[in-house]
Structures are given as C-alpha cells and as structure tokens.
C-alpha cells in the first residue's frame, strides 16, 4: 500500500497545474521544502538563483548550459580561451591546433615509412597491392601507395648464397652408386636470385625446396657412377651433371633461382667399413705401382732394342759399301773385346822371333785371376770324399 500511495502522489504532481518538477509555477510540496520564495514550486537545480535571492543576482543561463557552452569552445576554456579555465598565452597554439599538428606528424611519418622506399643497387623491390603482385621496383628512391594498401619486399639479387649438404651435425650423407656400393658424400651448392617475382610468389618455402632439389639431383647422378668414379676422377663430371639437373628442375618450378655451381668437398666410404676400404685401396695402389714399374722396364728394353736395331742398320749400310774393310774391322773389334781380359799373347807363326819378353805381358789382376783361371773340376761319380 505504501508503494501504491507513493506512485499516486507522483502522478498527482505530474498532472498538477505547474510545469513539472523543474517548473516555477507549481505549488510547494508537502513539507514546503525546495519551493521558490515566490511560491512558484520546485526550482531547477541547474538554474541561476532568481532576483529575489539573498545574493541579488539576475536570472541567467543555467549551470548546465554554461557547462555545455564551455565544452563546445576550444579546449573547454572560458572567455580567455585557455584550458581548464586558465587564460591562453597569446601566440601559442590552442589545444585543438596541437591535436591537428600531432595528427599531421603521425600521418607524415606513416607516409614516409610506408610510401617512400629506398632500393639499393643490389636489390629489387617486389610490390604487392592488396596482396596481389603489382610490379618490381628498380634501384633508387621509389614511391608506392602507403600501407596497408601496398607493401614492398626487398630482395637481394647479387648475393651468392651457399648451402652445404649435409647440414652441420646431421650425420653422414650416404648415397648408393651404380655398382651397389655406398658412399658418404659432402658437397655444397651456390645460388643467386635471378627473378625476384618468381622467387617471392612461385615457391612457398624457397630454402627447403632448393635443398630437396639438390639432394634429389645429386642422388640421381651418384646412381649412374661407380664407387671408383665417385671417389676418384669422376667428381668433375658429377658436379657438372648435378648442376644441370638441378637447374632443369628449378626452371620447371619457376623458382627464380640460378645455380652458380656445385662443389663436392669430400667423398669417402662409410665409417663402418673405412678400415677395410683403406686396406683395399693400399692393395690397389701397390698393384698399380707394380704395373707402372713393369711398364717402365718394358719401355727401357724396347728403347734399347730399337737403338741396337738402328746401330745394326748403320753398320749394314757401311758393310754394303765396303764389305771387306767392314768385315775386317768388325773382326778386330770383336777380338779386342774377347781378348781384353786374357793374359795370353797370341802371335802368328811366321813372325815369331827367338825371344819375346813374355814375362812383361799383360796379366789379369790378382783379385780376379784365380777365380777366372782356376780349372773347374767335377768329381767323378763314386769318388771318395
């Protein structure tokens, strides 16, 4: 009942002759509080006191109107134009002007960092407009639309990148050769970016794609050679073939990558069989050394025989010109060589004189004479020892 009586009281106030709770023509409330001095009903709490108030001020705009008026002015100041009711110093910008200057600086920085691009001599700028390729910027100072409308990715087209296989700490890189042997191969690949547009858009993960292509190409090349070729003189041909195969695959991908070279740094058997392989290699080297020595001896013998044949041809040509003289000279030279080591003196019978100093004849040295001149006696069968 108390709640209903309160609602009826409020309804009677609204339907009264006054202008509402903020009007000045209504009567006073039940206890007479809050009425105007003239009995005009409740007074607007935001209005200035009327002329009959003790302060004696004339009625003016309400406090709410004055607050809204101040809020509409620059910085909320009063008649002085300052901030917080304080007077503004002449010649200084107002708070609104400061806001405009700050926004202008932010916009200028935004344009400077997103619309102006410095492209180096070794770089190219790949421009995208709303995520779509829009062009390539050449070296220099270039302008584009600001972000987020346009973005520029700088790509270095002169730097030579090098990838090593296998990566450090990844273990052995075993490959199968044509003769069913296993080789541990270490090599490197050098490459550059030849087409920035294809490099940026055609391949999602450029480095992983390049490594996978290099591994595939090198394994395909190793599968066509023997272990001896992979460990020895076949490396140069393997490098050239691997480079050509890698470039062919990357061109089909439109990768924008140009292979500069492939270098095989080390080729060795697996660590599990390295000792046995060293033994086999040592045996092969020894066999090759023996073959080389035999070939050298054969060449020396052949050269000596050819020299003898040439000398014989010269003698035969002289013999044909003077057979008797050549025959006698050859006889003398031969007898001289045969009798040079003999201590006998041979003379022709008609020319013998009664006495010759044979004791002063040429004798063999004592060191070789007994061994050379001792008769070789062979004991008779069954003779006593």
């Amino acid at each position: 009942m108390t709640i209903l009586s309160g609602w009826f009281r409020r309804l009677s106030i609204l339907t009264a002759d006054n202008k509402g709770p903020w009007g000045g023509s209504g009567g006073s409330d039940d206890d007479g509080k809050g009425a105007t001095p003239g009995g005009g009903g409740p007074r607007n709490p935001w209005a200035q006191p009327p002329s009959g108030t003790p302060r004696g001020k004339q009625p003016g705009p309400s406090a709410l109107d004055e607050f809204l008026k101040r809020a509409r002015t620059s910085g909320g100041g009063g008649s002085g134009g300052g901030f917080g009711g304080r007077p503004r110093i002449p010649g200084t910008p107002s708070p609104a002007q400061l806001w405009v200057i700050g926004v202008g600086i932010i916009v200028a920085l935004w344009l400077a960092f997103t619309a102006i691009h410095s492209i180096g001599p070794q770089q190219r700028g790949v421009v995208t407009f709303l995520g779509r390729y829009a062009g390539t910027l050449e070296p220099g100072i270039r302008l584009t639309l600001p972000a987020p409308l346009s973005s520029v990715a700088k790509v270095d087209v002169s730097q030579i990148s090098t990838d090593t296989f296998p990566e450090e700490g990844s273990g052995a890189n075993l490959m199968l050769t044509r003769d069913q042997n296993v080789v541990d191969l270490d090599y490197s690949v050098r490459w550059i970016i030849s087409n920035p547009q294809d490099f940026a858009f055609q391949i999602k993960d450029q480095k992983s794609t390049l490594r996978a292509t290099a591994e595939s190409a090198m394994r395909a090349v190793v599968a066509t050679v023997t272990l001896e070729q992979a460990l020895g003189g076949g490396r140069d041909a393997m490098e050239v073939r691997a480079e050509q195969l890698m470039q062919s695959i990357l061109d089909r991908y439109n990768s924008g990558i140009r292979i500069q070279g492939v270098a095989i740094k080390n080729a060795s058997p697996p660590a599990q069989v390295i000792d046995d392989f060293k033994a086999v290699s040592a045996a092969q080297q020894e066999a090759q050394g023996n073959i080389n020595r035999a070939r050298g001896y054969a060449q020396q013998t052949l050269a000596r025989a050819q020299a003898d044949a040439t000398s014989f041809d010269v003698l035969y040509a002289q013999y044909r010109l003077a057979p008797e003289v050549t025959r006698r000279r050859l006889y003398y030279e031969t007898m001289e060589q045969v009798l040079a080591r003999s201590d006998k003196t041979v003379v022709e019978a008609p020319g013998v004189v009664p006495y010759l100093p044979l004791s002063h004849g040429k004798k063999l040295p004592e060191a070789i004479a007994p061994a050379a001149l001792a008769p070789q006696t062979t004991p008779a069968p069954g003779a006593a020892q």
Side-chain angles (χ1 to χ4, degrees):
M1 294 299 292
T2 305
I3 296 175
L4 292 176
S5 61
W7 278 104
F8 282 121
R9 187 181 301 109
R10 292 180 182 179
L11 183 60
S12 62
I13 294 174
L14 293 176
T15 56
D17 293 337
N18 58 5
K19 296 181 181 180
W22 310 111
S25 60
S28 62
D29 52 4
D30 295 340
D31 54 1
K33 295 179 181 180
T36 58
R43 183 176 58 84
N44 186 353
W46 299 102
Q48 294 289 340
S51 58
T53 59
R55 288 181 291 179
K57 294 183 179 180
Q58 297 295 328
S62 65
L64 179 60
D65 295 337
E66 184 67 22
F67 176 78
L68 295 177
K69 181 179 179 181
R70 291 183 180 183
R72 284 192 297 267
T73 60
S74 60
S79 59
F83 183 78
R86 292 175 296 181
R88 180 168 57 88
I89 301 175
T92 60
S94 63
Q97 293 174 341
L98 293 176
W99 276 103
V100 173
I101 294 173
V103 172
I105 293 174
I106 294 175
V107 172
L109 293 176
W110 171 56
L111 293 176
F113 282 101
T114 61
I116 302 175
H117 308 279
S118 176
I119 309 299
Q122 74 282 1
Q123 294 178 337
R124 299 295 184 272
V126 180
V127 184
T128 56
F129 178 74
L130 298 178
R132 184 183 296 274
Y133 173 74
T136 302
L137 300 180
E138 297 296 326
I141 304 298
R142 307 298 176 182
L143 301 177
T144 62
L145 295 176
L149 298 177
S150 296
S151 62
V152 176
K154 298 180 181 180
V155 179
D156 194 336
V157 296
S158 63
Q159 179 182 2
I160 300 178
S161 302
T162 303
D163 285 351
T164 58
F165 301 83
E167 292 182 339
E168 185 177 358
S170 60
N173 189 21
L174 303 180
M175 298 185 183
L176 188 65
T177 62
R178 185 182 64 187
D179 53 356
Q180 304 300 315
N181 287 313
V182 178
V183 61
D184 186 6
L185 200 65
D186 295 344
Y187 60 98
S188 62
V189 177
R190 303 185 306 275
W191 56 277
I192 62 173
I193 300 174
S194 60
N195 191 321
Q197 175 185 352
D198 291 342
F199 183 80
F201 292 98
Q202 294 296 331
I203 300 178
K204 180 179 180 181
D205 193 345
Q206 297 88 350
K207 187 175 182 62
S208 298
T209 302
L210 176 66
R211 295 189 65 85
T213 302
E215 284 283 351
S216 176
M218 184 58 72
R219 290 182 183 275
V221 171
V222 172
T224 61
V225 300
T226 63
L227 178 62
E228 183 178 358
Q229 293 173 339
L231 300 179
R235 293 189 181 183
D236 295 339
M238 292 172 58
E239 293 172 352
V240 174
R241 293 177 56 191
E243 178 181 351
Q244 294 175 352
L245 184 57
M246 288 180 59
Q247 191 62 61
S248 175
I249 296 173
L250 293 174
D251 289 344
R252 292 200 300 268
Y253 292 163
N254 294 326
S255 62
I257 296 176
R258 175 65 56 185
I259 301 299
Q260 295 296 105
V262 178
I264 297 177
K265 299 185 294 184
N266 181 36
S268 60
Q272 295 82 353
V273 296
I274 188 65
D275 295 335
D276 297 335
F277 185 83
K278 288 181 178 179
V280 173
S281 299
Q284 291 177 348
Q285 292 177 1
E286 183 179 0
Q288 188 64 34
N290 294 333
I291 293 174
N292 293 336
R293 286 191 293 271
R295 289 176 178 174
Y297 177 77
Q299 292 176 357
Q300 291 178 1
T301 304
L302 181 61
R304 190 181 304 111
Q306 290 176 350
D308 294 341
T310 303
S311 177
F312 180 80
D313 293 338
V314 173
L315 291 176
Y316 179 71
Q318 295 177 359
Y319 175 79
R320 292 183 61 184
L321 295 176
E324 184 63 26
V325 176
T326 304
R327 186 183 303 111
R328 186 177 296 276
R329 184 174 61 83
L330 291 176
Y331 173 77
Y332 290 154
E333 291 178 355
T334 303
M335 293 302 295
E336 183 180 0
Q337 293 177 0
V338 172
L339 299 176
R341 299 173 61 87
S342 176
D343 61 344
K344 297 181 177 62
T345 301
V346 179
V347 295
E348 296 182 359
V352 176
V353 295
Y355 174 74
L356 287 175
L358 298 178
S359 61
H360 299 286
K362 183 179 179 181
K363 292 185 178 181
L364 295 175
E366 296 180 357
I368 61 174
L373 301 178
Q376 300 293 330
T377 58
T378 302
Q385 298 292 330

